Every structure is written in structure tokens, then in C-alpha cells.
């Protein structure tokens, strides 16, 4: 355990997208689809949604979720997936108001929230939870956008379906072992801190076959 109370967890990290580099970047597509693997940028603070094998030393003790300024870090890739109640087939455009899961590609854990208190700001804790892409109903988020589908260039919000908290960053920075990374948490009030936009990624089309289907439960082996 380090000075901030974080617990390091040694888990082999999945090789990111090693079998997907030949896919189209989807530059001709202006919307986000299920099965896509993306990085999400908090527009206000210019940090990408991130996770890693470091657990919170307080609250839930689950895998921590942060924001990072680094562009190239593979631990900032998330897979866009349907829920256990509503399958979203690969290549299907994500609709505004649709419930989704965001699964951290390198660890197979889902973006998650609950009524634990976040360690720095005392807002609602956001963590990564589950195994191989399967957790519980607290992994579900509603995409809030202005049109009929989630557009790649649009700034959108993610509302935690169970608690109605908005995925947010307000600038608090961690010390060791994740020095400089920003706290990601849930807030009940909408503000500029709650808007996100897709950045780098692989955007799946319905006709693409022969590669890992990230809309299905994840497996850590290749």
C-alpha cells in the first residue's frame, strides 16, 4: 500500500488491439457504434478516461478510474457494448438515450459507479468492476446527446443509470503511485465538467468480420 492508500494489483495486461490494426479507422463514419474501441476525452480538462491495475485504498477498493493527459497510453481504450438486458450488435449506431457499458480493454472491467465516496473530491466514486466484461447492473450508463445517435464529434454526457450521477472530472490530482492523474467521479449536477468526446479508436462497421467482437463478453486470452 502506498502513501495515498492505493493497493497495487499485479494482473497480466491484455495486449491491446494487436489483432485489430488492419481494421478501418472509421474516418468516413460520423457516429459511434457498438463494438467500437475508443478513447474518451473530457472536454473541459483535456484528459482521457483511463484505468489501470491500481485499486482504491478507500471506498470500494475496486480498480481505480482516472483521467490522464497522455495521448498514447493504451490503458485509455474502452469498448462500447450493450447491456445484459439489451444486446447491441457490433456496428450498430449507439442511440441518444441508450444504455451501454464501457469496458476497459486491457483489464476487462466495466466502468462502474455506486454510492461510495470518491477519495479526493468526496463526490460519487467511479471504478472499474467485473471480470471478462461481466459485472452487474451498476456498470450501465445512459448516453446523453442532442440528436438521434451518438456522433463522434459531439460532446456528450454519460449518466449512471442506477444513481443518475454524471461522469465528471473537476481537476483534483492524485499523488503516488499515479501522480498527476485526475480524479474521475460522478456528480448529480450537469456542468461543463461532465462533457466527453470520442478521440482515437477503432469504429466498427456492420460488414466487418473475422476480428474480436467486443460487443460480446470479453476474454483475456488471444
Amino acid at each position: 500500500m502506498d502513501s495515498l492508500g492505493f493497493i497495487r494489483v499485479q494482473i497480466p495486461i491484455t495486449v491491446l488491439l494487436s489483432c485489430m490494426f488492419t481494421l478501418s479507422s472509421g474516418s468516413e463514419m460520423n457516429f459511434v457504434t457498438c463494438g467500437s474501441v475508443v478513447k474518451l476525452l473530457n472536454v473541459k480538462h483535456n484528459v482521457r478516461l483511463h484505468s489501470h491495475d491500481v485499486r482504491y485504498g478507500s471506498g470500494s477498493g475496486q480498480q481505480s478510474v482516472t483521467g490522464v493527459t497522455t495521448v498514447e497510453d493504451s490503458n485509455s481504450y474502452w469498448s462500447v457494448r450493450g447491456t445484459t438486458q439489451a444486446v447491441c450488435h457490433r456496428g450498430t449506431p449507439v442511440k441518444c438515450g441508450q444504455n451501454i457499458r464501457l469496458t476497459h480493454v486491457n483489464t476487462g472491467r466495466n466502468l462502474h459507479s455506486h454510492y461510495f465516496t470518491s477519495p479526493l473530491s468526496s463526490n460519487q466514486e467511479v471504478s472499474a468492476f467485473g471480470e471478462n466484461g461481466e459485472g452487474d447492473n451498476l456498470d450501465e450508463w445512459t448516453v446523453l446527446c442532442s440528436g438521434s445517435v451518438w456522433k463522434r464529434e459531439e460532446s456528450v454526457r454519460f449518466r449512471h443509470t442506477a444513481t443518475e450521477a454524471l461522469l465528471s472530472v473537476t481537476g483534483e490530482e492524485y499523488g503516488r503511485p499515479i501522480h498527476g492523474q485526475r480524479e474521475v467521479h460522478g456528480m448529480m449536477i450537469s456542468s461543463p465538467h461532465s462533457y466527453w468526446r470520442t478521440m482515437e479508436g477503432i469504429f466498427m462497421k456492420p460488414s466487418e468480420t473475422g476480428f474480436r467482437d467486443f460487443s460480446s463478453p470479453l476474454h483475456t486470452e488471444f
Side-chain angles (χ1 to χ4, degrees):
M1 183 177 293
D2 57 78
S3 60
L4 276 186
F6 282 99
I7 303 170
R8 289 186 178 275
V9 180
Q10 299 297 325
I11 303 174
I13 298 176
T14 302
V15 178
L16 175 70
L17 302 179
S18 61
C19 61
M20 297 181 67
F21 285 137
T22 58
L23 288 180
S24 166
S25 64
S27 59
E28 72 280 7
M29 296 168 52
N30 64 356
F31 49 84
V32 179
T33 56
C34 287
S36 295
V37 177
V38 300
K39 292 184 179 181
L40 294 168
L41 179 78
N42 183 276
V43 178
K44 173 72 173 178
H45 294 277
N46 198 38
V47 292
R48 284 161 173 77
L49 187 67
H50 181 90
S51 193
H52 38 227
D53 297 322
V54 178
R55 294 185 181 271
Y56 290 120
S58 62
S60 68
Q62 294 173 3
Q63 182 172 301
S64 57
V65 172
T66 63
V68 297
T69 57
T70 307
V71 176
E72 298 83 6
D73 197 323
S74 68
N75 272 321
S76 299
Y77 279 110
W78 301 82
S79 173
V80 180
R81 305 171 62 219
T83 66
T84 54
Q85 293 80 22
V87 174
C88 187
H89 296 290
R90 184 175 64 186
T92 303
V94 177
K95 297 178 181 178
C96 296
Q98 181 174 337
N99 294 345
I100 63 168
R101 289 177 292 179
L102 292 168
T103 302
H104 188 242
V105 173
N106 275 0
T107 63
R109 297 191 173 101
N110 298 323
L111 189 70
H112 182 95
S113 193
H114 35 220
Y115 288 119
F116 287 99
T117 300
S118 63
L120 299 184
S121 67
S122 297
N123 286 301
Q124 185 169 304
E125 183 189 277
V126 171
S127 63
F129 175 75
E131 295 294 336
N132 295 327
E134 297 305 313
D136 60 24
N137 67 307
L138 297 179
D139 301 339
E140 297 180 13
W141 299 80
T142 305
V143 181
L144 302 180
C145 46
S146 59
S148 58
V149 296
W150 176 7
K151 295 181 180 178
R152 289 177 56 189
E153 298 302 320
E154 182 181 4
S155 295
V156 305
R157 293 170 296 161
F158 300 99
R159 184 178 63 205
H160 189 240
T161 307
T163 66
E164 298 190 347
L166 295 165
L167 186 69
S168 306
V169 176
T170 50
E172 296 83 4
E173 292 190 11
Y174 288 109
R176 294 179 60 189
I178 50 176
H179 178 74
Q181 296 186 22
R182 311 293 174 85
E183 181 184 85
V184 173
H185 49 248
M187 298 181 68
M188 301 306 296
I189 299 174
S190 180
S191 73
H193 303 290
S194 305
Y195 283 86
W196 301 81
R197 188 173 72 244
T198 56
M199 301 298 289
E200 305 81 10
I202 301 295
F203 295 82
M204 304 296 284
K205 296 185 293 186
S207 61
E208 288 169 346
T209 59
F211 297 89
R212 271 183 77 184
D213 186 349
F214 282 86
S215 64
S216 301
L218 296 181
H219 300 280
T220 57
E221 71 273 12
F222 281 88

